Each structure stands twice: as structure tokens, then as C-alpha cells.
Amino acid sequence: MNTLSRRGFLAASAATLSAAAVPSLLMPVRPARADGHKVITAGKRVIEVKGKAANVFGLHQADGSSGIVMNAGENFRVRLKNLIGEPTAIHWHGLTPPWRQDGVAGISQEPIPDGGSHDYDFPLARAGTFWMHSHFGLQEQLMLAAPLIVRDPDEAGQDVQEVVVLFHDFTFRHPQEILAELKAGGHDMSAMAPAPTPAPAAGGGHEGHNMSVTAMPSGQTSHDTMDHGAMGAMQMSGRAAGQMGGQMGGMSHLQDVQYDALLANDRTLDNPEIFSVEPGGRVRLRLINGAASTNMWLDLGKLQGKLFAVDGMPVEPVEGTRFEFAVAQRLDILLELPKEASAWPVFAVQEGGRMRTGVVLAAKGASVGKLADMADEDFPAVGVNLEQRLRATKPLSEKAATRKHTMMLGEGPNYVWTLDGAMHGQDKPLAVASGDRFELTFMNHTTMSHPMHLHGHHFQVVAVNGKRFAGAVRDTVLVPANMGMVTIAFDADNAGKWALHCHHLYHMVGGMMTSMAYAD
């Protein structure tokens, strides 16, 4: 299966890149396999980043393709082989399996030893853009992740080209070294700088995607925006933030890890992946923020896109050129390409800076010039402006909450991150019973935003900063810094014990993780 990697179809020269023929990634529907498990191998590999070799991990099938493409209605019959040289566990992010098959070490299964394997078999009820990644130690930073695409068989006949992109933040440093430095407060303080001012939207403004609107939502003062992390942000060390958090007021910080590059399908912009497209054609972007700790902006440049699904779940379409894109979230965007033969880069840019990566959509014969790995302008913090505009096309049924809880997100010295005042390992599982309509409010007392992820369930965003609305159905939501609040609602319909955590990898390992346990 060559659906997720098209390296062999590229041709490059010193001056320009010419797009080679890349067949549509929209494959015909096939019946569920009855001849055994699909085999995914967690293994070691070497990639090139800015001319240097880097040793990383990966999740591949026997033919070298990254990740899995399946159809809703099939069974997820997968055998995971571990050849990375150490134990691992792989989580199927966005799927809702029986809890013993969720792939979380210490909660749903024991780690898979090196050389071992583990079988999974459960029905795929929903189509969507999902992904798989390590849920053991800091392996996610070493790129042990891949796309997991579940297609809707009813969409098989559509004349839409599918392009899948997995974004990473990359460092040549070992993640254990990074974590040790964070715990010691040794972050590069030269990175401290005021957050960037808003920049104009590329391609003109549609409400909510004009950058000035995003950084300063209607009815909100600059002080309010600063309190919620969209302006006036500071980059500072984890220890300094923990010790100063109570004195900082509206001050927040964005990155606490400095990266060497952002990657799109393992590549930087000096050698981007190029997808051959038809002028005037339609393209479905399936975009995955697989970064360990970097919230991003999706920047379509000169193209206008229609966002129609988030985290694999459909939303009422939102048009724009730039979209907020927190860690672990996914965006499905439909593009109607211009009729002239040209090349169109699609970028992902770090919040609070200019570092970027991306891919190129190019008509046959189009020339792709050199693309800078830095944007022309600073991008603001990722916030909740887009979140407040999203509306689910299939919302939860109208039902009063039978159980409510407000969870406090906290931080402390030496890079400690807590939920309800406790680090993971000292926490008490959140109690739930089958049949509950649960409303969970995250209240963020820290100086950083947190992408909060609940396993085994999809939830609906029903309030942001106290304002109620029927928002998107998701599995990961960003909670703004400095007293930001987000309320989610979900039906307790998948009994077991489920992880609940911040998806910023170093925050999670620093303690910001708990579980939700059914009483039955």
C-alpha cells in the first residue's frame, strides 16, 4: 500500500523542484480482510533533517508504508511488532476500542517487550482522521507515530484527491536530556521574548481567520486576550514559570522546548513532499498535529479552504486561509484548486514564532521555487477563537448532565504539572458510571495552555470561559492559560479505565495525567 508516502515520485534540481506524478490517495473500497492481521512494526529508522542524519522510530507496514488506511465497518485486526530495542505501547488516538485494547502502558495493557508483539481486534464504527503513537515514556518525541485513516465507504466514489500529512516537532537532542533540563529549570532564557503581534491573514479575511480577529476576538479587550494566552505571552523556563506563576498575573509562555525543525511527513521545506494535483480539482487535506509539544497554525497561503471536520468528527464548514491547530488535533480541509497550473504550498507554523514546515500541491509541470523554513511574520499564540466558532453537525442529544466535575490544572517548581493537585501516580481516578452524561470543566491555573485528551470517548465542547454553545465533537481540546476554562460533555458509554491527560508530552510525563474509571 503506497497511500501515505510518495518519496519515489519526486524529482528535484538545485534551482527548482518539478512535481512528479503522484496518484490520488483516495483508494477504492475493499472488503474487510479475512486472512489475518495487518502487521505494523515499530522499528528504528534514519531520516535526514537539514543535511544531518537523525535516528528516530517509526510505525510501518511490510511494504514500507507508514500507518494504516482502513474502512469504517471493518475490524481493526492489527498485530503490532516491537523492534525498537526497548519496551513500547501504541495508542490508537481517536478510536474507541474496548479499554484493554487502547494501548496505554500501565492503564490498559503491559508494555510490549522488545521483540514481542500484541494483537488487537475490534470494530471500526466511525470514519475519520486519526493517528497512532507511542504511549510509553518519551518515545513520541522520537517520532514513534503514524497516520491512522478510517475512510467512509459511502465517499469512495467522490472525485476528491486525498492528501495525508503528519506534522512533527524535531530535535537532535535526546528527550531525556530535554526533560532533565526542564526539571532543573535550565531552559534557554535567551528565548524569552514578548509574544508576536497579530499579523494580517493571507488571502484576505474571513471572520475568525483574519489574524487580528483571532488574536482579539469580538468583545474582548487586549487585557482579556492577554489573560487567555493569545497576546502578551512570554517564553520562559518550566521551573521559572512554576515558581513565578502566582506572581505573573496575565503573563503566559508558549514553548518550553526549543526545536531544531518542524517536519511534514518527515521532511523540512528544503526538500518538501510534493503532491501532484489537477488544476481545478478538489483536494481533501487530512492533517495531523503529531508534535510532542508545539501548537501550530495551518497556513494555506493563497488557497481558500473549507474546514469540515476536526479530530475526525464533522463540523459545519468554516472557510478561511489559516486555522488554529493544537497538539494532537486533526483538521480535514477541502480545497477547490484554481484552474491555472501552478504550485501551492501548505504550511504549518509554530505558535509564537516563524518556524514552519509544509508540503506542496503542484500541477503537472509546475515549478516549485525554494521555500523558506521561516515565515515572513510572527504568528500569535494558538487560542480558542476557532473553537468558539465550530459547531458539530452531529451534536450530542439534548440531555441534562447527571454528573459534573471541575478539574484544576496546576503547575509547581521543578517542572511539576498536576490535575486536581496531584501528579500521575498520586492521583485518584475520576469516577464515572455507565449511562452518565458527564460534564467536565477544565480550569487552567497554569501559565501554559494544555491540549487535554480523553481516551475511549468523543466529547462535545459545550462552553469556553463560561460561555455555553453547541461546539465541535472532539477527542482533544486546548485549554487556554491563566484561568482559561473549557467544558466538555460526553456520554459514558465505553466501560473501562481510560487515560485523561495533557497531550504536551513533557507536561504529561511531568505529572499532568490521570484516569477515568467506570464503577461498573
Side-chain angles (χ1 to χ4, degrees):
M1 186 186 309
N2 292 323
T3 60
L4 300 180
S5 178
R6 294 292 184 231
R7 306 287 194 268
F9 291 89
L10 305 182
S13 66
T16 63
L17 297 172
S18 296
V22 180
S24 170
L25 299 185
L26 193 61
M27 297 175 60
V29 175
R30 295 183 175 91
R33 291 178 56 172
D35 57 345
H37 291 75
K38 292 178 181 284
V39 177
I40 293 290
T41 300
K44 300 176 181 179
R45 60 200 180 103
V46 178
I47 63 172
E48 183 179 298
V49 179
K50 296 186 173 181
K52 295 173 60 177
N55 295 307
V56 297
F57 296 144
L59 291 162
H60 292 85
Q61 297 189 59
D63 64 0
S65 58
S66 178
I68 293 178
V69 178
M70 301 182 76
N71 291 309
E74 295 181 6
N75 269 20
F76 187 79
R77 300 193 68 205
V78 171
R79 174 166 295 159
L80 177 66
K81 288 186 176 181
N82 177 17
L83 298 179
I84 65 171
E86 60 187 73
T88 193
I90 301 300
H91 167 55
W92 321 110
H93 189 122
L95 302 188
T96 54
W99 76 279
R100 286 294 189 185
Q101 300 193 57
D102 192 44
V104 179
I107 291 183
S108 61
Q109 71 172 77
E110 293 299 315
I112 304 169
D114 181 46
S117 64
H118 194 90
D119 289 351
Y120 303 84
D121 192 345
F122 55 87
L124 290 171
R126 295 183 179 90
T129 300
F130 309 119
W131 63 305
M132 60 183 83
H133 61 81
S134 171
H135 224 293
F136 188 78
L138 295 168
Q139 293 169 352
E140 190 181 347
Q141 181 70 85
L142 292 168
M143 300 176 61
L144 192 52
L148 199 174
I149 307 302
V150 182
R151 294 192 175 123
D152 184 346
D154 293 338
E155 297 176 350
Q158 295 181 355
D159 185 20
V160 182
Q161 181 177 346
E162 184 177 277
V163 171
V164 180
V165 187
L166 175 62
F167 298 103
H168 281 105
D169 43 19
F170 174 83
T171 173
F172 285 103
R173 302 173 64 198
H174 195 281
Q176 288 289 356
E177 177 187 348
I178 294 171
L179 182 62
E181 184 177 280
L182 290 169
K183 288 182 175 180
H187 185 72
D188 179 9
M189 298 301 287
S190 65
M192 290 181 62
T197 56
H206 283 256
E207 184 182 356
H209 297 291
N210 181 292
M211 299 292 276
S212 60
V213 174
T214 300
M216 191 77 68
S218 177
Q220 192 173 63
T221 66
S222 59
H223 181 266
D224 291 333
T225 309
M226 189 173 178
D227 280 348
H228 292 99
M231 290 181 63
M234 295 286 287
Q235 295 176 315
M236 60 190 310
S237 75
R239 184 174 72 174
Q243 293 172 337
M244 295 174 60
Q247 307 171 23
M248 290 170 63
M251 193 177 296
S252 63
H253 63 292
L254 302 181
Q255 291 91 32
D256 47 11
V257 179
Q258 299 300 299
Y259 287 98
D260 295 299
L262 299 181
L263 306 181
N265 290 349
D266 295 347
R267 296 183 172 214
T268 55
L269 282 172
D270 58 353
N271 181 28
E273 186 159 10
I274 303 175
F275 294 90
S276 180
V277 296
E278 292 294 328
R282 296 195 301 163
V283 173
R284 175 181 184 160
L285 299 176
R286 292 185 183 264
L287 307 172
I288 304 163
N289 186 345
S293 69
T294 303
N295 296 324
M296 301 181 189
W297 284 88
L298 194 283
D299 181 7
L300 296 175
K302 297 180 180 180
L303 295 175
Q304 184 81 7
K306 184 181 294 184
L307 175 67
F308 65 94
V310 295
D311 293 0
M313 300 292 106
V315 294
E316 295 178 7
V318 175
E319 293 189 353
T321 60
R322 293 180 176 179
F323 300 89
E324 293 167 304
F325 194 26
V327 169
Q329 291 182 340
R330 285 87 68 209
L331 305 174
D332 281 57
I333 297 174
L334 182 65
L335 302 175
E336 304 275 354
L337 296 178
K339 294 183 178 181
E340 67 270 16
S342 186
W344 302 277
V346 174
F347 299 112
V349 188
Q350 70 174 145
E351 67 171 342
R354 301 187 180 193
M355 184 184 293
R356 68 182 182 179
T357 186
V359 298
V360 179
L361 311 177
K364 184 178 180 179
S367 178
V368 181
K370 182 176 177 58
L371 298 171
D373 61 4
M374 292 288 174
D376 293 334
E377 59 201 14
D378 288 343
F379 276 57
V382 169
V384 291
N385 188 52
L386 176 59
E387 196 69 62
Q388 291 172 310
R389 300 184 63 217
L390 295 175
R391 298 293 182 269
T393 61
K394 298 179 180 178
L396 295 182
S397 61
E398 291 289 338
K399 181 179 176 181
T402 57
R403 191 170 301 207
K404 295 183 179 181
H405 179 75
T406 297
M407 179 170 283
M408 303 299 179
L409 282 55
E411 65 181 317
N414 302 316
Y415 211 71
V416 166
W417 300 91
T418 61
L419 295 174
D420 283 342
M423 297 176 63
H424 185 49
Q426 305 168 4
D427 57 304
K428 181 180 179 181
L430 189 66
V432 64
S434 292
D436 275 343
R437 168 63 61 83
F438 202 118
E439 283 202 4
L440 176 60
T441 297
F442 299 108
M443 180 176 286
N444 189 354
H445 291 265
T446 81
T447 55
M448 292 190 75
S449 63
H450 299 283
M452 298 303 298
H453 173 47
L454 173 62
H455 289 223
H457 302 74
H458 291 103
F459 54 74
Q460 185 168 11
V461 178
V462 296
V464 171
N465 296 326
K467 182 179 179 181
R468 293 190 69 91
F469 59 99
V473 174
R474 284 191 173 277
D475 57 54
T476 307
V477 67
L478 189 70
V479 184
N482 294 312
M483 302 308 293
M485 290 192 302
V486 175
T487 301
I488 63 173
F490 61 92
D491 289 322
D493 57 5
N494 196 4
K497 186 177 182 181
W498 299 97
L500 171 62
H501 62 92
C502 174
H503 221 286
H504 182 304
L505 179 61
Y506 298 94
H507 293 176
M508 181 182 72
V509 174
M512 192 170 273
M513 178 173 176
T514 187
S515 59
M516 183 180 76
Y518 279 67
D520 47 341

